[in-house]
Amino acid sequence: MQRAREWLREARCVAALTGAGISAESGVPTFRGAGGLWRQFRPEDLATPEAFARDPRLVWEWYDWRRGLIAATEPNAGHLALAELERRCGRFTLVTQNVDGLHDRAGSREVLKVHGDIWEVRCTGCGRAGRDDRVPLPDLPPRCDCGALLRPGVVWFGEMLPQEVWRRAECAAREAEVFLVIGTAAVVYPAAGLVDRAKAAGAKVIEINLDATPYSEEVDCSLRGRAGELLPQLIA
Ligand code: NAD
Ligand code: ZN
């Protein structure tokens, strides 16, 4: 911890990658942890273009439930610490796999959401995109003014990442002197590839996770514990 703190203090350029684990302490379940199931479904059965084509109402009911759950939570000390780090650092880029918007609510300004945002909706017909914060949504599935179905503004299994967001995330990983990997099993590609990229470019990689991950042995520093406790200590 002491060494990691010094790396962070001395770095002019820092990037962080967060996953579902950082929001777990706020009460947003991770997909694979406890509470990740809705009715009898696994996320892999619902977060796909095929599931949406088959039963858009069912998929929207799941998203409406998750939006309600997220709306009732607050950012935790881990989210707040990253917002503070952004204010202090010369150059700081936050890349998140989370769709919950908790980094925004914690005050982070530059958030690269590589898996999209659960508060955004996009028309499957005319392509128009916008934000809808209503919980619950009045009609499921919601429709665009053009009559076509709206879909959640998230990246589903099997879909491409948003190109420009991804390009900027890769850039940040390449340029970072310190790269933080927080609350992600780092097995979901291509996001996990950012860790390799940062390492290859010479960054010190610091991992924060409750459990060991495939990366724990390879990183420069692996801190085992809750993000909400370790991140405030790391930036103190
Ligand atoms: P995951 O569910 O596979 O893994 C979560 C990781 O967080 C695990 O490695 C776990 O050990 C760790 N963890 C759990 N609690 C923690 C804590 N308090 N402190 C530190 N670490 C903790 O999630 P993933 O690897 O991020 O991949 C699943 C994908 O599903 C994500 O890419 C994301 O798009 C999506 N997802 C998003 C949310 C959200 O927006 N909050 C929630 C669930 C899933
Ligand atoms: Zn439309």
Side-chain angles (χ1 to χ4, degrees):
M1 171 64 86
Q2 191 51 44
R3 229 169 3 136
R5 235 186 235 146
E6 274 159 29
W7 293 337
L8 206 53
R9 204 166 35 226
E10 284 161 16
R12 282 154 304 166
C13 187
V14 177
L17 169 68
T18 63
I22 194 169
S23 294
E25 287 163 74
S26 289
V28 184
T30 64
F31 276 174
R32 277 162 272 274
L37 287 181
W38 174 72
R39 299 186 191 165
Q40 75 277 29
F41 301 101
R42 295 172 309 147
E44 292 86 344
D45 301 328
L46 296 167
T48 67
E50 293 76 22
F52 188 70
R54 196 165 51 234
D55 195 342
R57 188 184 161 85
L58 176 73
V59 171
W60 263 114
E61 281 176 4
W62 179 54
Y63 278 98
D64 203 40
W65 172 76
R66 288 177 63 202
R67 285 159 56 103
L69 203 145
I70 291 163
T73 68
E74 296 291 335
N76 64 57
H79 298 107
L80 294 172
L82 289 175
E84 174 61 25
L85 195 57
E86 179 178 28
R87 285 188 287 270
R88 274 191 216 167
C89 244
R91 282 172 65 206
F92 179 80
T93 308
L94 179 54
V95 183
T96 188
Q97 301 172 83
N98 296 343
V99 298
D100 54 35
L102 285 172
H103 286 303
D104 303 316
R105 284 168 59 197
S108 285
R109 277 182 302 242
E110 277 273 308
V111 187
L112 299 179
K113 296 171 187 159
V114 293
H115 290 167
D117 186 329
I118 203 166
W119 301 106
E120 272 170 23
V121 292
R122 193 165 73 236
C123 180
T124 56
C126 69
R128 210 170 70 190
R131 212 183 145 84
D132 192 336
D133 289 323
R134 289 175 298 170
V135 168
L137 286 165
D139 288 304
L140 296 181
R143 288 186 179 273
C144 177
D145 292 338
C146 79
L149 280 177
L150 291 171
R151 61 163 284 175
V154 301
V155 178
W156 282 328
F157 292 106
E159 290 186 319
M160 295 241 303
L161 303 189
Q163 291 295 290
E164 179 56 20
V165 174
W166 177 249
R167 195 193 58 74
R168 288 168 60 198
E170 281 187 320
C171 216
R174 210 162 34 228
E175 290 175 358
E177 292 161 20
V178 172
F179 192 82
L180 301 164
V181 191
I182 306 152
T184 174
V187 288
V188 179
Y189 269 87
L194 290 180
V195 182
D196 296 325
R197 197 165 293 261
K199 261 183 81 74
K204 296 276 190 221
V205 180
I206 304 170
E207 172 187 74
I208 295 183
N209 200 300
L210 268 184
D211 298 315
T213 74
Y215 276 92
S216 298
E217 297 295 314
E218 292 172 41
V219 298
D220 298 283
C221 172
S222 178
L223 302 172
R224 214 58 62 76
R226 293 175 184 281
E229 286 166 19
L230 294 177
L231 272 171
Q233 290 174 30
L234 192 62
I235 70 157

